[in-house]
Amino acid sequence: MQDDEQDLGNQDHGITNPFQSFDPEDNSSKGRFKAVPFRLIAPNLVTLVALCAGLTGIRMAVEGRFELALVSIAAAAFLDGVDGRIARLLKGTSRFGAELDSLTDFVNFGVAPALILHVWILHAFDTIGWIGSLLFAIAMVLRLARFNVALDDKHQPAWKKDFFVGIPAPAGALVVLAPIYLELSGLPHTDLAAPLVLAYTLLIAMLVVSTVPTFSGKTVGLKIPRAHVVPLITFVVALVAVLFSYPWITLTVLAIIYLASIPFARRAWHRHNGADEEMTEESENAAELEPGVKRENEVGPEGV
């Protein structure tokens, strides 16, 4: 696995396939190439299917079929959450897969929602509406770039896995489309709402690229007490049933709940961070006191 990951970035030897392995001491054609395990390919196939869903969402919006456009973005978000788990389950993580996932996220959750909103209503605000779509896409690509850089930091405390910095890409895409959920729920369409939708789009763009902590949910469900298993299953089944019965109202409520959770996430993050700072300060004070105690022990007998 380590050899596969190292070979992904190796382009100095004329290798065009990122999954090929290279042995500089083997000049034979068979030695330069070896079979790629399916566990490395499977997560990337899921990522590409997600990309197809996001691009299909753009096509559906251009054709005026906004229900299918939203379903496509939701499917892309679901597949985005699945591909990483499949890669870790199959031990098929790779540098190539990480880069492919990041590029796919920008298209699915940056470009596609921006174009859907523009086709839906922001076009009624002329150039200003298009600028709003551009700013959302730019905020998304900046967020993804920052996220990729943050992956190199291996010394973060364990509790930070429970939080994202800013709204994550899939959540940002689903939340920014909430005005369309409202219309599909029964509200009449009017171009006069374009300024309000623009302001809402810019607000979500700022939250996406901001440093405001939000709940990640990565560690939720890893270990569930036995007493909570049946209630959890009942809740999930009920949520799925409501989602299929009243999809747009349910998505609107979920978007509101998510935005309302941000202040609680910020408070929880500061609570954990404050506890870490106190522990660090205590350890530094203890380290400063230890040399002082030794000096007193050393100087004391001489004074006597």
Side-chain angles (χ1 to χ4, degrees):
M1 180 60 197
Q2 293 179 354
D3 295 337
D4 291 335
E5 292 181 355
Q6 292 173 358
D7 292 335
L8 295 179
N10 192 343
Q11 299 179 357
D12 297 334
H13 303 287
I15 298 176
T16 57
N17 187 340
F19 292 113
Q20 293 174 0
S21 296
F22 179 78
D23 185 357
E25 297 181 357
D26 192 346
N27 295 324
S28 64
S29 59
K30 293 182 179 180
R32 294 184 60 184
F33 304 94
K34 71 177 183 180
V36 179
F38 182 74
R39 60 184 174 82
L40 291 177
I41 301 176
N44 299 321
L45 292 177
V46 177
T47 302
L48 291 176
V49 172
L51 177 60
C52 293
L55 293 174
T56 301
I58 298 176
R59 176 195 168 186
M60 294 296 103
V62 172
E63 295 178 355
R65 302 157 69 181
F66 292 104
E67 297 91 342
L68 293 178
L70 298 183
V71 170
S72 298
I73 298 301
F78 173 77
L79 293 173
D80 178 72
V82 169
D83 60 358
R85 288 171 173 79
I86 292 177
R88 290 188 290 271
L89 180 64
L90 299 178
K91 297 182 179 179
T93 57
S94 64
R95 178 72 180 184
F96 176 83
E99 294 297 332
L100 179 63
D101 184 72
S102 181
L103 294 172
T104 299
D105 285 351
F106 172 57
V107 175
N108 290 345
F109 310 128
V111 176
L115 292 179
I116 291 173
L117 287 171
H118 181 75
V119 173
W120 175 61
I121 198 172
L122 291 182
H123 69 275
F125 213 0
D126 297 329
T127 305
I128 298 178
W130 176 242
I131 292 175
S133 298
L134 287 179
L135 290 177
F136 179 81
I138 291 172
M140 189 63 71
V141 74
L142 291 175
R143 187 224 144 51
L144 292 170
R146 184 181 62 191
F147 179 79
N148 291 342
V149 172
L151 291 177
D152 296 332
D153 187 2
K154 306 298 182 181
H155 303 289
Q156 293 185 358
W159 62 265
K160 286 192 175 181
K161 294 181 180 180
D162 296 330
F163 300 92
F164 283 121
V165 179
I167 296 180
L174 294 175
V175 170
V176 79
L177 296 173
I180 307 182
Y181 306 156
L182 289 173
E183 179 180 307
L184 295 176
S185 299
L187 291 182
H189 179 86
T190 172
D191 291 343
L192 297 177
L196 295 177
V197 175
L198 174 62
Y200 177 77
T201 302
L202 295 178
L203 172 64
I204 301 302
M206 288 189 293
L207 290 175
V208 163
V209 78
S210 70
T211 57
V212 176
T214 58
F215 290 118
S216 70
K218 288 184 176 181
T219 59
V220 175
L222 294 180
K223 291 184 179 181
I224 302 174
R226 290 182 180 272
H228 297 166
V229 172
V230 174
L232 177 62
I233 294 176
T234 304
F235 173 77
V236 172
V237 171
L239 179 62
V240 172
V242 173
L243 182 61
F244 278 91
S245 301
Y246 309 97
W248 311 123
I249 296 177
T250 304
L251 288 174
T252 302
V253 173
L254 291 177
I256 294 174
I257 292 175
Y258 181 81
L259 292 176
S261 71
I262 293 178
F264 297 97
R266 185 174 182 272
R267 185 173 62 180
W269 190 91
H270 283 291
R271 184 171 63 249
H272 286 290
N273 191 53
D276 274 1
E277 290 179 353
E278 290 180 1
M279 292 180 60
T280 302
E281 185 177 354
E282 290 177 0
S283 61
E284 290 177 354
N285 292 336
E288 292 176 357
L289 289 175
E290 288 180 358
V293 172
K294 292 181 179 179
R295 284 194 298 270
E296 290 178 1
N297 292 337
E298 293 174 357
V299 175
E302 294 180 359
V304 174

